[in-house]
Amino acid sequence: MRFAFGEALLTTKLIDGTFPDYSRVHSAGNDKRLTVERDAFAMRSTRLDHSSERGRAVKLALSEGKVILSVNNPDQGSAVEEL
């Protein structure tokens, strides 16, 4: 499924499987907010997208002051980008 909002494009797909109860995984009182610079995030995620096979997930790891995007491909190796 694809959604276009002006110049932004969001693509998603259905993952078939059993998932945990959302209310038990996501904290109810979450007051955290992540803000990243759009162009920097887009550039890094696009580079990772080109280094992965179609269907491979780009993973995000969050820590104080940075976002780490990574992809792991058994055939082509791994790639990491940091914001």
Side-chain angles (χ1 to χ4, degrees):
M1 194 178 332
R2 283 193 173 185
F3 301 94
F5 305 96
E7 293 183 23
L9 179 64
L10 172 67
T11 304
T12 185
K13 68 178 182 174
L14 176 64
I15 300 174
D16 189 22
T18 304
F19 295 93
D21 178 13
Y22 180 80
S23 62
R24 293 180 61 197
V25 175
H26 188 273
S27 56
N30 188 5
D31 62 346
K32 306 297 183 263
R33 170 173 251 151
L34 172 67
T35 304
V36 296
E37 199 276 315
R38 183 186 68 171
D39 292 337
F41 184 81
M43 179 182 70
R44 285 166 176 85
S45 61
T46 299
R47 280 200 303 238
L48 286 178
D49 185 47
H50 290 306
S51 67
S52 68
E53 291 179 3
R54 257 179 92 72
R56 294 263 179 209
V58 173
K59 297 178 183 176
L60 275 83
L62 308 174
S63 64
E64 188 69 33
K66 65 181 166 181
V67 177
I68 299 172
L69 298 98
S70 63
V71 65
N72 190 359
N73 182 327
D75 297 326
Q76 298 176 338
S78 60
V80 176
E81 291 284 340
E82 184 177 315
L83 284 166

